[in-house]
Each structure stands twice: as C-alpha cells, then as structure tokens.
Amino acid sequence: MKKQLQIADSLYIAGRGDSGIAVLKKLRPGINIADPLICDYYYLMAQHYTLQPEVMQLYADSGMIFFANTDKIKQYPEQFVKVMETSGDVCIMKKKYNASLHYYDKGRQILKANGKCDNGNFSLKIGGIFYNQKKFLPAARTLVEGYNQLIACDNNLTNEKRFFLRQSTLDNIGLAYEQGGMLDSAKYYYDKDLAYINKIDSMAIIDTFYLNAARVVVYDNLGGFHLKRGDNSMAYDYLNMATKMPIRDVDGMLIPPYNKLADFYIQTNKLTEAKTALDEARGRLNKFYKDNPESDIKWYRLYALYMFKTGRYNEAYIAQDNYIRLRDSLAAGSSKLYQLDVDRELDAIHQQQALSSLKQQDKIKQISLIGTFIIVGLFLVIIILISRTLNNSKKTQTMMKLQNQQMHTTVNELERANTNYIRIMRVMAHDLRNPISGITGLAAMLLDEDEFSDDSRHLLQLIESTGIHSMEMINELLKSGLADENEVMATQEIDVKELLRDSVELLQFKANEKQQQIIFDADDTPLVTHINHEKIWRVCNNLIVNAIKFSHTGGIIKTSIHLSGDERHIILSVADNGIGIADKDKDSIFEMFSPAKRVGTNGEQPFGLGLSISKKIIEKHHGKIWFESTPNVGTVFYIELPYSSLSS
C-alpha cells in the first residue's frame, strides 16, 4: 500500500495529477481509518487541491482527528509531521502566515524530538515565504540550508521525488539569488542544477519526461538570467531550447519561457515573432491558469509593450490598465505577508518553548548557573592575579627610576619577586585544573542522562565546553607565560621538511571537519638543521590550526618550505584564503593575550597565546616570524630558520 501511495506521489511530481488522484481513489477503500497510512493519503489528496484551501482544510482536519489521542504522535511522528505541513500550507493559502510558521516549526520540532532525519522540507517552506516577501537573500540562505538538509536525508525517497526536490531546490536558490542581485551566485546554482540533471540523465534512473520538464525550467531561468545581463544571444539560445523541448505541456510550464521570448523579441524589434510568443503564452494561460491574476500580470505588461511598439495605443492602454489593476490587487492581497517578520515570529515561538522548558527544569538551571558562576569566578581570580602582578611590576620600575643609586639591588629584587609570582601563578593554575576538570566531568556525566530537555542539555553542554576551553587556556598559560624562562632548549639535527609534512598530514583530519584541503608544496630533498623537534612542531601546528580556524568552509590552505636564495636560511610558509587580519590589529598580533583575538569562521574560541608562543620559540632558534595579510582575502605567515646542513 505504501509503495502505491509513492506511485501516486510520483505522478503528482510529473504533472500527471489526474492520474495520481485516480490511483488514490482506488486505494482509499483499502486503507483503514485507524491505519497511520490514512494520514499519507490525506497529505497526498491535499497536495492535489493546492488551489482550493477549503478542500485542503478538510484533509488537514481529518489528519488532526487521527491524532486526537496525543500518544499517537510519538508512535507515528512522520505522519504527524505531514499533518503539520498540510495545516501550515492551508494557513499560507488563507494568508494566516503567523499560524503557518507555528505548524511548520512544530513539525520540525517533532522530527528533532523523535530522532528523525530532517529532510529540509520546512526550511524550504520558510524560504518560500521569504521569497514571496521579496526578501530574496534571506530566502536564498534558507533554501541553501534546506538543500543541505535534503541531500543528507533523502535516502527513503523514490528516485523521482528525490530528483524533483533536489533539482527544483537548486533552481529556486538560483532564482532567489538572481532576484536578490547576486548574479554570480545565481549562475553557480543554475549551472549546478543543469549538471545534476545531466548526471541523473546519464544514470538512466529517471523517466525522460521528468528530465525534460526540469530542463525546461532551468533553461527558462538561464534565458531570463542572460536577458537581464544584456546577453541577448545566450538568452535566445536558452529560451529557444526551453520552448523546443520535446515534452507535452501538462501544467503550463512553457508559459514563462514564451513570456521571456516575447520580451526578447520586443526588445530586438522582432514584433511578428513577439506576437507569436505572446499568443503561445496566452493560450496556455487560458488553459491552465484561468482566473489567476499572478500568472496574467507578466503577460499583460509584455502585451502592452507590444501594442505600443506596433502603434495600437488604445489596446496598449487597455492592456496596461489590466496589468496595473492586477498588480495592485495582488499587492493588496499580499500586505499581510509583507508585514510578517519570519525571524521574529520564529524567535517568539522558540522563546515560549524555552520558557516552558526552563520552568520544568528549574533545578538543572540553578546547577548550570552555579557552575557558570564558579567558572567566571575562577577567571576573575586569574585576571586579578595577573593584574596585581603587572601593577607591582610597574611600581617596581617607578622606584628604579627614582632611586638610581639602588638600581642594581632593585633589579635583583624585582627578578626574585617576578619569579615568586610566576611560581605562585604556576601552582594556582595547576591547582585550578582539578576543580575545572571536576565541573567538566560532572557536566559530561549529566549529559549521559536521558531525563533532560534539549534546552537543559544545551546549558550542560555550555558548561562542559566552557570547562574544556578553561583547561586549554590554563595549559597554554603553563606552556607560555608561566613556563620556566631558564629552561635549556635541547636541539638535534632534524629534517624540517619531513616535520612539516607530518604536521600537514596530521591536521588534514581537523581540516576535513570544515571541508578544507591542506596542500604541501615541497620537493623530496631533505632540509636538515639543528632545532628542538617538539617546539618547532608546535609552531607548525599553531600556524596550520590558525589557518584552519580562520578560513571558510571549503577553503584551501597552502604550506611550503624551501631554502633561501643564499642557502643560509630555511623559509617555511602557511597561506590561507580566510578572513585576514585587520590593519588595526597587525601591530599587536604577536602579543600574549593580544586584543586582536577573533572568533573562527565556525565560532572556534581563540586564546590569543599561540602566535606569542610561536614567536618566542622561533626567536630562541635565532630565527624570525612575520606575516602578510589582506582582510577578507587571506594571510600568509613566514618562518625563517638558520640552515646548517650535514655537509657544512
């Protein structure tokens, strides 16, 4: 029975709605009213009546009756989600946009609560609302989010449904970017859509009808895209391919390309051809979209232009009047839609849910707040100690200037005082790790429990991640400003090129989390010199991790190593194409606890210690480190180390 319902769904996708409804009517007597498949039946029937909201409402209400017993929601979450989607669609048709968002969001929350895969359907619906509001860039971003969810969660769909959803979403993303004025992004998604169609065609898993129907749409959009850019030749080629596609027009899909062809012919003064294209579009409008003002608006605008061009001014004024009347009527009907603030409404929904959850989990909230206060308190203690140390150092320096006769004695006392402060801070930083580790462990243990809500788990995860970041910062302090300055640095003959290669291979796994690629550019000739393996390894890791952190998803990081022209130095570089370093921050980038800290492109937490530590290590090796950076283009860090080959 489920497979036959999928067949009906595929017929809808192919534009063969009459055949689909015939299949559903045959299936209805065999579906028990208590069977959850009845909700699938209601969902598909409602999709057939998308232009008749009152009929859709009847099927949505029937689905709600099935779930009158709320225990069934947990038993059949996928069917309940379809009822929520249908109810939201009905609200859209009735211009009850706030209510539609409530239904869509509830459907998405049910999927999440029951561990079901979110196929992006609700994101696509919300993206459609943004588009109809003419908020094209938010629409594009929301549609991209929906597409990414879709490709991660469409394994249970038929080939036809999967093809239709992926292809149409790519096309809609391109259209949203085009309407939003981002033409390069629009072209990227149109081309990606066409490439996907051709790929599926080569696999021979989809009927030719679906493929040709998809090509008509993307050719039409590419034709309009090139027409907008003034590339009339390319526009004509695509629109001609769309209208000449060997396919039976079952739902008016050829109306848009004929309208655009008419626009092209009018612009190029080919008025005979323009009349033919207008007639083709008008015939299909009369057949498929009677009494649909939205479909008539574009045609009347073009028809008025055509009449002006041919000198038939009375008919032109009549067409122009029809165009203005229909446009104003549609705008008036959409006023509620334009007033809707989607983000604010969703935020209000989520805030209500969060408030309810917090009331139920007040005890966990208190524990979370106490843990947060403890961590904040620990940070304040560290900051006070550091501030006190700095203040004492300043006072000592002032006294040195005023008492020149006791300079030597005062310097010695200051060094002893600083050593004692560092020892105290080292002991305190070391001891602080135990309570922070305990807090982190407690949070991790609570996260293993199943009794907490999503919001409570989020707060616990915040405690756990904050504790982990605190431990990382303490470790960085112990390795940097609190390290023993008098420690003797042992060196040995090391192949620096092989060390860098190992670092790249190790960190490629971290780069994979952001779909980034690290390129190692060097020949196979060893570059052996005297270095401390652990410390130079740390410098390489710091620079590559920073490049990963501040590069965008999908970026490329290039590393290279070679001899200088005089063969006296080894030059190592790490280049990214990330967010770059602002001019105001360039002078302080190597300072410990630098104010130039920035959050990574995926929200990674900075400590401001890595570059300061790296600079100290390189200077101890009698080398130097510097960088070149352009904001929003990328950064290249360079390291120069003395070269002493085995043969020298």
Side-chain angles (χ1 to χ4, degrees):
M1 184 70 70
K2 187 173 183 179
K3 187 174 182 180
Q4 291 172 305
L5 288 169
Q6 288 178 334
I7 291 172
D9 191 14
S10 297
L11 289 169
Y12 283 155
I13 293 170
R16 300 169 183 170
D18 292 340
S19 300
I21 203 73
V23 171
L24 289 174
K25 288 180 178 179
K26 288 182 181 179
L27 293 176
R28 177 61 187 90
I31 306 176
N32 191 292
I33 194 71
D35 189 331
L37 286 178
I38 194 68
C39 294
D40 295 281
Y41 168 82
Y42 294 148
Y43 172 78
L44 291 173
M45 289 296 292
Q47 298 303 306
H48 181 71
Y49 293 101
T50 52
L51 297 179
Q52 300 180 47
E54 298 304 327
V55 179
M56 288 182 71
Q57 183 72 67
L58 293 175
Y59 288 111
D61 291 344
S62 298
M64 288 293 192
I65 292 172
F66 179 86
F67 288 101
N69 181 354
T70 55
D71 290 339
K72 288 186 177 181
I73 297 176
K74 292 184 177 180
Q75 290 179 283
Y76 312 112
E78 293 179 356
Q79 280 72 25
F80 183 74
V81 167
K82 289 182 178 180
V83 174
M84 292 296 97
E85 180 183 342
T86 303
S87 299
D89 292 345
V90 171
C91 290
I92 290 289
M93 298 298 295
K94 292 185 173 183
K95 305 185 188 309
K96 298 178 179 179
Y97 303 110
N98 294 64
S100 71
L101 290 177
H102 280 265
Y103 284 118
Y104 291 155
D105 190 71
K106 187 171 184 179
R108 185 156 51 184
Q109 295 301 325
I110 289 295
L111 285 175
K112 184 178 180 181
N114 289 274
K116 298 296 182 180
C117 191
D118 186 350
N119 64 5
N121 197 32
F122 293 110
S123 294
L124 299 180
K125 298 275 186 183
I126 293 171
I129 293 175
F130 277 129
Y131 186 90
N132 290 330
Q133 289 181 312
K134 302 189 185 304
K135 297 178 180 178
F136 299 115
L137 296 183
R141 289 191 291 269
T142 308
L143 291 171
V144 169
E145 176 188 347
Y147 178 77
N148 291 332
Q149 292 171 322
L150 171 65
I151 61 177
C153 187
D154 61 2
N155 292 331
N156 61 336
L157 301 178
T158 62
N159 288 336
E160 292 79 11
K161 184 107 182 211
R162 183 185 303 111
F163 170 76
F164 170 76
L165 289 174
R166 288 193 182 189
Q167 179 275 318
S168 61
T169 302
L170 286 171
D171 191 73
N172 288 336
I173 294 171
L175 192 58
Y177 274 126
E178 180 184 342
Q179 295 298 325
M182 296 182 65
L183 298 185
D184 289 340
S185 297
K187 183 65 161 54
Y188 169 81
Y189 281 99
Y190 288 149
D191 290 342
K192 187 173 183 178
D193 184 11
L194 198 55
Y196 175 66
I197 295 169
N198 293 334
K199 175 185 175 183
I200 297 301
D201 193 2
S202 68
M203 296 169 66
I205 59 174
I206 297 292
D207 186 88
T208 304
F209 176 86
Y210 297 94
L211 297 166
N212 287 343
R215 285 190 175 104
V216 167
V217 177
V218 72
Y219 286 158
D220 168 57
N221 285 330
L222 280 167
F225 170 84
H226 286 289
L227 197 62
K228 185 175 291 185
R229 297 186 70 171
D231 189 349
N232 288 341
S233 177
M234 289 291 290
Y236 174 77
D237 288 343
Y238 278 117
L239 294 172
N240 192 48
M241 285 191 290
T243 56
K244 296 297 189 294
M245 187 64 62
I247 187 172
R248 184 168 60 91
D249 193 351
V250 296
D251 60 358
M253 70 178 72
L254 294 179
I255 294 172
Y258 272 120
N259 272 339
K260 291 185 180 75
L261 264 181
D263 193 4
F264 166 79
Y265 287 134
I266 291 170
Q267 290 184 32
T268 54
N269 288 317
K270 297 180 180 180
L271 300 182
T272 301
E273 292 85 345
K275 181 62 166 61
T276 301
L278 286 168
D279 288 345
E280 290 285 352
R282 183 71 260 170
R284 287 169 171 77
L285 283 167
N286 293 339
K287 180 178 180 181
F288 297 109
Y289 296 109
K290 292 180 179 178
D291 302 322
N292 189 334
E294 188 172 357
S295 302
D296 281 336
I297 288 175
K298 293 180 181 178
W299 186 89
Y300 275 115
R301 182 182 68 81
L302 292 169
Y303 189 67
L305 287 173
Y306 167 76
M307 287 300 177
F308 275 117
K309 284 267 189 176
T310 56
R312 296 153 70 178
Y313 300 114
N314 287 336
E315 294 180 62
Y317 285 125
I318 293 172
Q320 182 75 3
D321 184 64
N322 286 331
Y323 162 70
I324 294 172
R325 176 176 51 80
L326 291 171
R327 183 195 62 189
D328 292 346
S329 174
L330 190 62
S334 302
S335 59
K336 288 185 178 180
L337 177 62
Y338 293 139
Q339 293 170 7
L340 175 67
D341 189 327
V342 174
D343 291 330
R344 186 173 65 185
E345 187 65 27
L346 288 174
D347 285 343
I349 294 170
H350 296 157
Q351 287 173 6
Q352 291 174 358
Q353 295 170 348
L355 181 61
S356 175
S357 177
L358 287 173
K359 288 180 179 179
Q360 296 173 1
Q361 300 292 336
D362 185 60
K363 185 176 181 179
I364 298 300
K365 176 184 177 182
Q366 292 175 358
I367 294 173
S368 302
L369 289 173
I370 291 170
T372 302
F373 288 141
I374 291 172
I375 292 173
V376 171
L378 292 173
F379 276 118
L380 288 174
V381 169
I382 294 172
I383 292 170
I384 290 170
L385 288 173
I386 293 173
S387 176
R388 188 174 297 171
T389 300
L390 293 173
N391 287 333
N392 287 336
S393 297
K394 290 179 180 179
K395 290 178 181 178
T396 303
Q397 291 174 356
T398 302
M399 291 175 63
M400 289 173 63
K401 292 179 180 179
L402 296 175
Q403 302 174 355
N404 289 330
Q405 67 276 16
Q406 299 178 354
M407 180 180 298
H408 184 70
T409 302
T410 305
V411 168
N412 290 335
E413 291 178 356
L414 178 59
E415 288 178 350
R416 287 196 297 272
N418 283 340
T419 300
N420 289 333
Y421 282 130
I422 290 173
R423 287 175 182 170
I424 293 171
M425 289 177 67
R426 188 184 300 131
V427 170
M428 293 192 67
H430 184 275
D431 290 345
L432 281 174
R433 291 192 294 184
N434 291 331
I436 293 176
S437 178
I439 292 169
T440 304
L442 177 61
M445 182 178 68
L446 290 173
L447 281 170
D448 289 336
E449 300 296 329
D450 297 329
E451 61 188 47
F452 303 123
S453 69
D454 289 344
D455 289 332
S456 298
R457 294 182 70 84
H458 174 72
L459 290 172
L460 288 170
Q461 288 168 350
L462 176 62
I463 294 174
E464 182 185 30
S465 62
T466 305
I468 291 171
H469 287 315
S470 301
M471 290 293 294
E472 290 176 355
M473 176 172 279
I474 290 172
N475 289 333
E476 291 292 330
L477 283 168
L478 289 172
K479 291 179 181 178
S480 57
L482 304 184
D484 187 355
E485 294 292 337
N486 298 319
E487 178 186 2
V488 177
M489 184 179 70
T491 63
Q492 56 184 312
E493 291 179 338
I494 299 291
D495 183 354
V496 186
K497 186 177 295 184
E498 191 61 29
L499 183 149
L500 178 61
R501 188 194 309 275
D502 291 344
S503 181
V504 167
E505 291 179 355
L506 176 66
L507 291 174
Q508 180 59 59
F509 293 99
K510 184 174 183 65
N512 289 342
E513 297 174 4
K514 295 175 74 172
Q515 293 86 49
Q516 296 169 342
Q517 180 183 2
I518 306 178
I519 297 174
F520 180 73
D521 181 16
D523 57 29
D524 295 330
T525 305
L527 289 177
V528 179
T529 191
H530 286 84
I531 61 170
N532 181 287
H533 183 280
E534 185 273 334
K535 293 186 182 297
I536 296 300
W537 170 271
R538 188 173 182 196
V539 172
C540 293
N541 282 9
N542 276 345
L543 295 183
I544 296 174
V545 167
N546 277 354
I548 293 170
K549 182 187 300 182
F550 297 112
S551 291
H552 300 288
T553 299
I556 295 176
I557 298 163
K558 297 180 180 179
T559 64
S560 70
I561 183 169
H562 58 83
L563 280 177
S564 61
D566 57 9
E567 297 189 354
R568 295 175 58 187
H569 299 91
I570 295 172
I571 307 298
L572 183 152
S573 69
V574 177
D576 64 54
N577 54 1
I579 61 178
I581 301 170
D583 291 339
K584 66 182 179 64
D585 296 329
K586 289 182 177 179
D587 292 337
S588 61
I589 200 71
F590 288 111
E591 294 178 7
M592 183 171 293
F593 303 110
S594 167
K597 291 186 295 184
R598 298 176 70 183
V599 175
T601 57
N602 275 7
E604 298 96 333
Q605 182 67 35
F607 297 125
L609 297 171
L611 289 176
S612 173
I613 295 170
S614 298
K615 187 172 185 292
K616 289 182 180 179
I617 291 172
I618 295 302
E619 288 176 348
K620 275 197 171 187
H621 281 81
H622 306 292
K624 63 179 181 178
I625 180 171
W626 72 98
F627 66 89
E628 296 173 357
S629 182
T630 302
N632 299 318
V633 175
T635 302
V636 185
F637 276 90
Y638 297 95
I639 294 173
E640 180 182 274
L641 293 170
Y643 175 56
S644 55
S645 66
L646 290 174
S647 60
S648 61

